[in-house]
Amino acid sequence: QVQLVESGGGLVQAGGSLRLSCAASGNIFRFNSMGWYRQAPGKQRELVAITTSGGSTNYADSVKGRFTISRDNAKNTVYLQMNSLKPEDTAVYYCNAVIFPNNYYWGQGTQVTVSS
């Protein structure tokens, strides 16, 4: 049983910051990758950032230089630090974990709203 629980969302003004957390029910070393996706109203879910078990990271072009994904293996938690937030960042943010090739897990989502 795998459970991912997101937290840290909220309402902020443009230019502000939030840090999202994704707590996993087990040791995160078992996941080949973990990451964050987001879905805005009326739009498809899109990849925001990923980190692999090997330590590499990748980001959507729209968030490069503003968002940082990191992990704390001791806490079985992945974070998304979001700085310089823009109204277009408003979305539900979902945590994702993958065990290749066919095991995909999702959290329930946390709302991020950026006002301006």
Side-chain angles (χ1 to χ4, degrees):
Q1 296 287 329
V2 173
Q3 184 170 283
L4 305 173
V5 180
E6 303 99 330
S7 62
L11 173 64
V12 297
Q13 294 287 324
S17 298
L18 285 173
R19 188 179 75 161
L20 306 183
S21 298
C22 174
S25 60
N27 293 332
I28 61 175
F29 70 83
R30 65 182 296 197
F31 302 118
N32 295 116
S33 70
M34 296 189 71
W36 293 91
Y37 291 69
R38 67 186 181 187
Q39 186 168 23
K43 295 187 177 181
Q44 295 182 330
R45 189 172 300 184
E46 64 176 348
L47 188 148
V48 177
I50 58 171
T51 180
T52 71
S53 60
S56 64
T57 59
N58 201 8
Y59 299 89
D61 288 341
S62 60
V63 306
K64 286 180 180 177
R66 299 189 297 120
F67 291 10
T68 303
I69 188 170
S70 62
R71 65 171 68 208
D72 186 334
N73 290 331
K75 294 183 177 180
N76 295 322
T77 300
V78 172
Y79 303 95
L80 184 68
Q81 179 67 45
M82 305 186 295
N83 298 326
S84 301
L85 283 162
K86 304 174 181 179
E88 52 263 43
D89 295 318
T90 296
V92 177
Y93 284 71
Y94 296 91
C95 183
N96 165 259
V98 180
I99 302 175
F100 296 149
N102 298 315
N103 295 87
Y104 293 80
Y105 306 96
W106 295 92
Q108 82 289 345
T110 185
Q111 177 70 48
V112 171
T113 302
V114 184
S115 63
S116 181

